[in-house]
Amino acid sequence: MANAQAFVSELLAPADIQLNGNRPWDMQLRDASFLGDVLARGNLALGEAYMAGDWDCEQLDVFFCRLLANRVQDQVRTSRLIWHYLKNRVINLQSPQRSWLVGQHHYDLGNTLYQSMLDPHMVYTCGYWQTAQSLEQAQIDKLELVCKKLQLQPGMRILDIGCGWGSFMKYAAEHYGVECVGVTVSKEQVKLGQQLCEGLPIEFRLQDYRQLNESFDAIVSLGMFEHVGHKNYRSYMKVVANCLKPSGLFLLHTIGRNRDVRGTDPWIAKYIFPNGELPCLSHIDDASRDLLCAEDVHNLGADYDPTLMAWHDNFERSWPQLSEHYDTTFYRMWRYYLLSCAGAFRARDLQVWQWVFSKPNLIGGYRRP
């Protein structure tokens, strides 16, 4: 244990993180016996130890930003995670049968949790903070930006793949006079979404995207592509190309990686988003090639940091009420999820891209609004 502690201290030094130091981003060890496991299992062991209360950190977001900005994780050989990486390469973890798991495991955790954490519009994707001073305004600005990029007009019929609680569809229907069809794999999202969008020309479907086979004037997908998986990227783009009218536009909003690494973080995969996978730019380009024309790519990655920090603030503020439904382990898990992700975006280890695609024959091209 002493050797592991000394080695971890050495690893953390370039990031200016200390064990039992006095800065808010330093690790406070309650039981140092987990450190050896971290050297074998990386963030999976680190996250599990935090959930168990074996260590604490006042500013987890700063801790992870420093860790990732200095590439500390590259110095750890996680030998016991070989099966995790092989499984992501060999097995289709996002098959039609498996696609419902993330809905059950994550999005069906309870609408009260998400209503407490998110903005009033229930947008569970990165906000747009160019001029916004609040989470609510950042999400309104993002929804408006997406509508403008899609060049929505009254009477259009729009498909939303991974529609969540219907935040985009509700905004587009109310402000642009369109009708929408949204698909999701979450029963809880359909239940609440139908209530929130009552009276509007909006249809919710509990449906896998691969079952879609009809025409739409425009297609949008905000924060769903992370659940598609590399074995299904091409199939996904074929569905979009088949459903998009010749003059239509498709906007894809997704978290992405800087490098071509298959699978996702093992802790995130086990506790937050089962079977998830983050694409890199080349994955999206390869999957869409000769089906769609990439008209525009916009990086909003830095804007996810303030979005996640705002969600965390809301979560902490609501915890006294939420604690009646969730235990301390869940609290530590959710805090670790939100703040580690905020640190990753702050360090630019993760990105958010908005791609706008057209059919290859769009005469005159496209201009970003």
Side-chain angles (χ1 to χ4, degrees):
M1 185 176 70
N3 289 339
Q5 189 164 336
F7 185 55
V8 170
S9 294
E10 185 179 335
L11 284 175
L12 295 176
D16 192 24
I17 298 172
Q18 297 176 4
L19 299 181
N20 298 321
N22 58 10
R23 285 88 52 86
W25 61 82
D26 288 330
M27 292 182 72
Q28 306 301 322
L29 304 182
R30 312 301 181 203
D31 180 356
S33 62
F34 75 91
L35 290 175
D37 199 23
V38 170
L39 297 177
R41 298 195 299 134
N43 191 43
L44 179 56
L46 188 67
E48 289 179 339
Y50 183 83
M51 290 166 61
D54 292 339
W55 67 281
D56 271 306
C57 178
E58 183 181 341
Q59 293 182 350
L60 271 177
D61 54 311
V62 180
F63 169 83
F64 276 102
C65 179
R66 288 174 171 270
L67 202 72
L68 295 168
N70 288 277
R71 311 298 309 169
V72 172
Q73 72 277 17
D74 292 346
Q75 306 306 312
V76 179
R77 305 299 179 194
T78 50
S79 57
R80 288 166 60 187
L81 292 176
I82 292 176
W83 168 240
H84 172 79
Y85 296 110
L86 287 177
K87 181 174 64 174
N88 278 282
R89 286 188 173 273
V90 175
I91 301 173
N92 184 356
L93 297 177
Q94 302 83 14
S95 66
Q97 295 76 26
R98 290 173 174 266
S99 66
W100 300 89
L101 182 59
V102 69
Q104 298 162 5
H105 185 93
H106 187 84
Y107 297 107
D108 289 344
L109 279 171
N111 287 324
T112 301
L113 169 65
Y114 295 107
Q115 287 173 306
S116 300
M117 184 181 80
L118 304 178
D119 67 295
H121 299 273
M122 297 285 287
V123 186
Y124 194 18
T125 49
C126 176
Y128 185 49
W129 293 83
Q130 184 171 17
T131 61
Q133 298 297 312
S134 68
L135 175 63
E136 180 176 8
Q137 190 59 53
Q139 296 295 15
I140 290 173
D141 290 351
K142 191 269 297 294
L143 295 174
E144 179 65 19
L145 179 67
V146 172
C147 289
K148 287 181 176 177
K149 285 184 176 182
L150 286 172
Q151 301 176 356
L152 298 187
Q153 298 294 327
M156 281 184 166
R157 186 166 182 257
I158 313 301
L159 171 64
D160 187 345
I161 303 177
C163 63
W165 295 273
S167 57
F168 170 79
M169 297 192 294
K170 187 173 188 291
Y171 185 90
E174 290 177 337
H175 293 84
Y176 284 83
V178 299
E179 60 179 270
C180 302
V181 173
V183 297
T184 175
V185 293
S186 167
K187 294 179 181 178
E188 289 295 310
Q189 288 183 337
V190 170
K191 179 181 175 182
L192 180 58
Q194 288 175 333
Q195 296 174 18
L196 296 174
C197 298
E198 187 176 2
L200 293 170
I202 293 172
E203 177 187 355
F204 282 84
R205 297 179 186 173
L206 192 62
Q207 183 180 30
D208 185 278
Y209 68 90
R210 281 162 282 216
Q211 298 173 322
L212 291 163
N213 185 24
E214 54 196 285
S215 294
F216 295 90
D217 297 297
I219 301 175
V220 64
S221 186
L222 306 177
M224 178 272 178
F225 197 71
E226 299 89 333
H227 305 303
V228 171
H230 71 277
K231 289 184 175 294
N232 307 294
Y233 290 158
R234 183 66 173 177
S235 298
Y236 176 96
M237 292 297 181
K238 285 182 177 179
V239 169
V240 170
N242 180 58
C243 291
L244 186 64
K245 289 184 178 180
S247 60
L249 296 173
F250 165 49
L251 186 142
L252 177 67
H253 173 118
T254 182
I255 299 171
R257 295 177 181 271
N258 296 322
R259 297 171 295 166
D260 183 357
V261 180
R262 301 296 165 88
T264 191
D265 175 86
W267 185 85
I268 291 288
K270 183 174 181 179
Y271 292 100
I272 307 299
F273 295 114
N275 302 332
E277 182 168 4
L278 301 182
C280 67
L281 286 167
S282 63
H283 293 154
I284 299 172
D285 177 51
D286 289 345
S288 61
R289 196 168 296 172
D290 75 30
L291 294 172
L292 299 164
C293 175
E295 298 283 359
D296 186 63
V297 182
H298 184 183
N299 192 337
L300 281 69
D303 287 17
Y304 224 147
D305 177 13
T307 302
L308 284 154
M309 295 305 295
W311 289 347
H312 172 257
D313 289 346
N314 289 343
F315 174 68
E316 291 282 359
R317 190 162 43 248
S318 301
W319 181 248
Q321 293 76 43
L322 292 172
S323 62
E324 299 177 7
H325 309 283
Y326 305 94
D327 62 16
T328 302
T329 301
F330 180 89
Y331 167 76
R332 295 181 68 86
M333 177 190 77
W334 209 253
R335 184 174 188 269
Y336 191 87
Y337 154 51
L338 295 174
L339 293 179
S340 64
C341 288
F345 284 101
R346 193 177 308 162
R348 306 313 307 280
D349 189 63
L350 296 175
Q351 310 299 332
V352 175
W353 301 306
Q354 282 190 355
W355 292 65
V356 176
F357 293 94
S358 68
K359 287 293 186 71
N361 59 350
L362 182 66
I363 304 300
Y366 173 87
R367 297 290 182 270
R368 182 195 298 179

